[in-house]
């Protein structure tokens, strides 16, 4: 299985200067000088795995291999080697390659990538990427073990990027509903956290988001981005009958049609037309 | 005197959408008051409405057509057929009004409004077209609870042999894009699937107002940024909400990976053979170029991998462009007719099932026994109130003559802005 990743004299590419590039569609990409025929994919695998080669060339080799995965039958001869190479890249010295490999493996729900990422979240000294990225990769297969880690990180982390990713994972976790609702309603939370909370609550409990949005739109002390998020949720997914029967909402939307920023006016007009407010 | 005009031979408002292809229409007298003989001569004219666009009329589905049309309509209510086709595209619904007047009079005796609904370059959409499209997408997705999950769940590893690496790649994806387009049209009839010309700059596509803004050369771990008013901010097609899609290229320019259109079209040479042309799917051995695969891997995020690619709605814009290129090639080379050997790749022994002209295509055929995948999401292919093709369980052979150039009944109900009939 590994014979394709072991370099031989026959498959090893000639050393190239770091700046060597080809022009494709007006932009430069590193030239890999791949051989014609069946050996091209093995050659790309060799470049990808060569830690002495440049990062741009290795990234380019990865792109070629990724594109080739769509070939299905033709890629089968190197599919197992490609997976093995990606798993090896999880520990590559270069973060870009680690990230790309973890992304591809996670999208394929690879067990090795998942266990490595979880281990890193529990024991940061073993982490191959930061906790935000790790949660993002784990979100492709957010099972109970991942969700409990996400809840802890949302509570404890001071990094809003990590907390946003935790919210994404929590969006499939019914046990997190209360935490998400609290974050959404908390005006001290950053707008980005509250907007992600809205998306997470929408995924978990659409009616709860509609209930919140109805209140947020009437709250004149709310941040405009939050009101716009609430209005967008109501406009797209709300119940027209309920909205048209809500006198306070109709009045508020009427005010927005004439006062406020251009985007709020447009939203209010759109809601009026769509839901006959 | 009053007449009724039917577009696509249907009285339904939902049928009043045309493309560059000839649409069968008919007119009949509903109130004969004032007709003294057995028939009356009626003139048909067109007026551009708010959505704009224009059409051509003809007695038969041939030729260039004309801007107006005259016909004799029997007093007894018998329908008279005529044909129309789009000449310029509408940007909203309705776009064109057809008015019938009795010859020698000015008062209308009947009107009907319609839209010339055409697939366009996503960067050319008006704000209205863009907003209606993303609203329909968001509603169909419905925060992950809607039927979009069937599309995302079909384009996965287990279904991949049905769709990739073999001759059926292009027909299968033509049906896949059409299926979603028709679903969106049940939400908003004015929507047509746009295409992403990935070999050209498309900066207006990757904005917070449209498909979201990613981070140049980012790792694809944070969701793209959407405007607070963009309903795609509630997108969810996998376990978690948000769309990850960081471009590996500066979106003010073209992605450097895909071949140019001219180079991709030339893949069909020598012989303008389908089996050569379909090499656009993945990098040619020994090269770093193709048309399709390199577009997928222009990003870090779900769209770069088969199991997750269709979770990103951009997937459908990308594949709409791949399909458009096939349409361009078909027209250049005269490859709409499956009776022309070079229009497809037929081999002995046959291709894997699902990749031969007479084969039905999964998942629309509902077959879940080997070698087909053991699941088939979404049921049959969505029907259209405008056309009958390709049918609920399309065969590979049903996906070639998409504008009915060979046989009117083959019309699949879509056209591209830069590919005439």
């Amino acid at each position: 299985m590994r014979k394709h990743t072991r370099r031989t004299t026959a498959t090893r590419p000639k050393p190239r200067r770091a700046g060597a590039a080809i022009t494709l569609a007006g932009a430069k990409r590193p030239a890999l000088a791949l051989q014609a025929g069946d050996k091209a994919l093995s050659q790309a695998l060799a470049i990808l795995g060569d830690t002495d080669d440049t990062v741009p060339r290795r990234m380019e080799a990865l792109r070629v291999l990724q594109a080739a995965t769509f070939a299905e039958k033709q890629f089968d001869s190197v599919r197992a080697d490609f997976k093995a190479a990606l798993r090896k890249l999880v520990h590559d010295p270069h973060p870009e390659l680690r990230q790309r490999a973890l992304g591809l493996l996670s999208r394929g729900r690879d067990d090795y990538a998942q266990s490595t990422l979880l281990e890193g979240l529990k024991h940061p000294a073993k982490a191959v990427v930061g906790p935000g990225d790790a949660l993002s990769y784990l979100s492709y297969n957010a099972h109970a073990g991942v969700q409990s880690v996400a809840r802890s990180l949302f509570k404890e982390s001071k990094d809003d990027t990590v907390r946003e990713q935790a919210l994404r994972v929590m969006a499939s976790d019914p046990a997190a509903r209360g935490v998400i609702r609290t974050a959404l309603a908390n005006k001290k939370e950053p707008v980005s956290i509250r907007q992600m909370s809205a998306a997470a609550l929408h995924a978990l409990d659409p009616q709860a988001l509609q209930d919140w949005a109805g209140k947020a739109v009437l709250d004149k002390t709310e941040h405009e981005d939050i009101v716009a998020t609430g209005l967008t949720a109501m406009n797209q997914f709300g119940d027209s009958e309920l909205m048209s029967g809500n006198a306070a909402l109709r009045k508020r939307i009427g005010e927005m049609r004439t006062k406020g920023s251009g985007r709020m006016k447009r939203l209010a007009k759109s809601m009026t037309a769509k839901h006959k407010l | 005197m009053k007449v009724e005009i039917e577009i696509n031979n249907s009285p339904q408002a939902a049928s009043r959408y045309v493309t560059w292809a000839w649409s069968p229409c008919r007119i009949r007298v509903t109130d004969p008051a004032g007709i003294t003989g057995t028939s009356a001569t009626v003139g048909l004219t067109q007026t551009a409405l708010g959505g704009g666009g224009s059409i051509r009329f003809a007695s038969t589905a041939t030729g260039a057509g004309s801007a107006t049309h005259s016909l004799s309509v029997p007093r007894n209510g018998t329908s008279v057929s005529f044909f129309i086709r789009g000449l310029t595209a509408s940007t909203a619904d309705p776009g064109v009004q057809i008015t019938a007047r009795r010859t020698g009079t000015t008062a209308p005796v009947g009107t009907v409004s319609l839209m010339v609904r055409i697939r366009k370059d996503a960067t050319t959409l008006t704000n209205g077209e863009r907003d209606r499209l993303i609203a329909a997408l968001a509603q169909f997705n419905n925060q992950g609870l809607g039927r979009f999950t069937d599309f995302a769940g079909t384009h996965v590893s287990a279904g991949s042999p049905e769709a990739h690496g073999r001759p059926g790649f292009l027909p299968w994806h033509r049906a896949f894009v059409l299926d979603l387009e028709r679903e969106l049209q049940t939400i908003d009839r004015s929507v047509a699937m746009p295409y992403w010309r990935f070999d050209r700059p498309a900066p207006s596509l990757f904005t917070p107002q449209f498909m979201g803004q990613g981070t140049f050369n980012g790792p694809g771990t944070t969701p793209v940024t959407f405007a607070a008013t963009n309903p795609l901010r509630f997108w969810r097609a996998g376990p978690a909400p948000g769309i990850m899609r960081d471009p590996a290229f500066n979106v003010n320019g073209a992605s450097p990976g895909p071949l140019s259109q001219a180079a991709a079209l030339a893949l069909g040479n020598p012989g303008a053979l389908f089996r050569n042309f379909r090499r656009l799917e993945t990098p040619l051995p020994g090269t770093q170029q193709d048309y399709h695969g390199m577009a997928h891997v222009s990003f870090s995020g779900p769209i770069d991998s088969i199991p997750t690619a269709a979770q990103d709605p951009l997937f459908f814009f990308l594949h709409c462009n791949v399909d458009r290129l096939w349409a361009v090639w078909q027209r250049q080379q005269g490859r709409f007719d499956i009776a022309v050997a070079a229009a497809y790749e037929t081999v002995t022994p046959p291709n894997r099932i699902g990749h031969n002209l007479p084969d039905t295509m999964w998942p629309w055929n509902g077959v879940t026994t080997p070698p087909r995948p053991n699941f088939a999401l979404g049921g049959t292919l969505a029907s259209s109130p405008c056309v009958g093709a390709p049918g609920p369980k399309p065969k590979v052979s049903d996906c070639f003559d998409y504008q009915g150039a060979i046989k009117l009944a083959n019309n699949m109900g879509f056209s591209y802005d830069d590919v005439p009939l």
Side-chain angles (χ1 to χ4, degrees), chain B residues 45-336:
Chain B
T45 59
Q46 59 180 300
T47 311
L49 301 176
S54 62
I55 58 172
R56 284 293 177 263
F57 298 93
S59 300
T60 58
T62 54
S66 55
T68 59
H69 193 59
S70 179
L71 31 70
S72 179
V73 189
R75 186 180 193 281
N76 65 8
T78 303
S79 291
V80 176
S81 73
F82 64 99
F83 293 84
I84 63 170
R85 67 176 182 87
L87 181 68
T88 57
S90 306
T91 57
D93 186 16
V96 180
Q97 178 174 285
I98 297 175
T99 302
R101 291 184 179 83
R102 197 167 176 190
T103 301
T105 67
T106 54
V109 294
T111 62
V112 66
S113 299
L114 58 97
M115 180 183 186
V116 184
R117 189 175 59 194
I118 301 295
R119 292 181 179 178
K120 300 172 184 169
D121 183 333
T123 63
T124 68
L125 299 185
T126 64
N127 288 351
E129 287 176 300
R130 177 198 69 193
D131 291 347
R132 290 194 299 276
L133 172 74
I134 58 181
L137 277 166
Q139 194 171 327
F140 189 60
N141 175 253
N142 191 20
Q143 72 265 358
L145 304 173
R147 282 226 29 244
F148 186 85
T149 53
D150 292 340
F151 286 83
T154 292
H155 194 278
V156 294
S157 298
S160 184
E162 302 289 326
H164 300 111
R166 297 172 177 84
F169 166 71
L170 287 167
W172 190 92
H173 283 87
R174 176 165 283 179
F176 196 48
V177 171
L178 180 65
D179 197 9
L180 180 63
E181 181 180 60
R182 288 182 174 181
E183 294 286 3
L184 296 180
Q185 286 166 351
T186 64
I187 295 168
D188 186 333
R189 295 275 174 209
S190 74
V191 165
M193 189 68 71
Y195 58 86
W196 169 39
R197 271 296 297 264
F198 39 71
D199 57 332
R200 285 182 178 173
S204 63
L205 184 55
F206 302 107
T207 60
Q209 289 74 31
F210 201 167
M211 296 304 282
Q213 190 171 42
T215 304
F216 175 46
N217 268 340
T221 52
T222 53
V224 295
T225 304
F226 285 113
T229 53
N230 188 332
L232 293 181
R233 66 165 35 257
F234 295 107
W235 190 262
R236 182 186 179 212
I243 300 170
M244 263 76 73
R245 190 199 313 120
D246 284 339
F249 64 102
N250 181 340
V251 296
N252 291 317
S255 171
L259 290 164
S260 68
Q261 175 161 310
L265 289 169
L267 289 174
N269 299 329
L273 303 175
F274 181 89
R275 75 159 184 262
N276 290 337
F277 178 68
R278 77 173 181 87
R279 295 182 300 173
L280 60 77
E281 185 185 4
T282 52
L284 304 172
T287 79
Q288 297 165 234
Q289 292 183 287
D290 67 15
Y291 196 67
H292 158 256
M294 280 293 172
H296 275 281
V297 303
S298 298
F299 303 93
S300 282
I303 200 168
D304 72 9
S305 303
I306 285 179
T308 51
Q311 292 179 8
D312 185 340
L314 182 69
F315 169 97
F316 293 90
F317 298 13
L318 184 161
H319 266 284
C320 196
N321 189 48
V322 173
D323 187 66
R324 182 193 62 85
L325 192 84
W326 182 27
V328 171
W329 182 80
Q330 286 185 294
R331 187 169 189 278
Q332 276 186 356
Q333 308 298 340
R335 295 291 181 260
F336 295 119

Side-chain angles (χ1 to χ4, degrees), chain A residues 24 27 29-30 32 34-35 40 60 66-67 70-72 100 104 107 133 136-137 139-140 165 168 171 202 206 232 236 267, chain B residues 135 143 160 164-166 221 228-229 231 234 239-241 244 256-257 281-282 286 288-289 296-297 300-302 304-305 308:
Chain A
L24 301 172
R29 293 161 55 199
L32 301 181
L34 297 174
Q35 299 170 15
E60 177 66 12
Q66 277 181 259
F70 287 88
E72 183 60 32
R100 290 291 194 281
L104 291 168
R107 288 189 267 287
D133 284 355
S136 178
Y137 297 132
S139 74
Y140 290 103
Q165 292 293 353
R168 292 186 62 247
H202 203 31
T232 302
Q236 289 300 318
L267 252 180
Chain B
Q143 72 265 358
S160 184
H164 300 111
R166 297 172 177 84
T221 52
T229 53
F234 295 107
M244 263 76 73
E281 185 185 4
T282 52
Q288 297 165 234
Q289 292 183 287
H296 275 281
V297 303
S300 282
D304 72 9
S305 303
T308 51

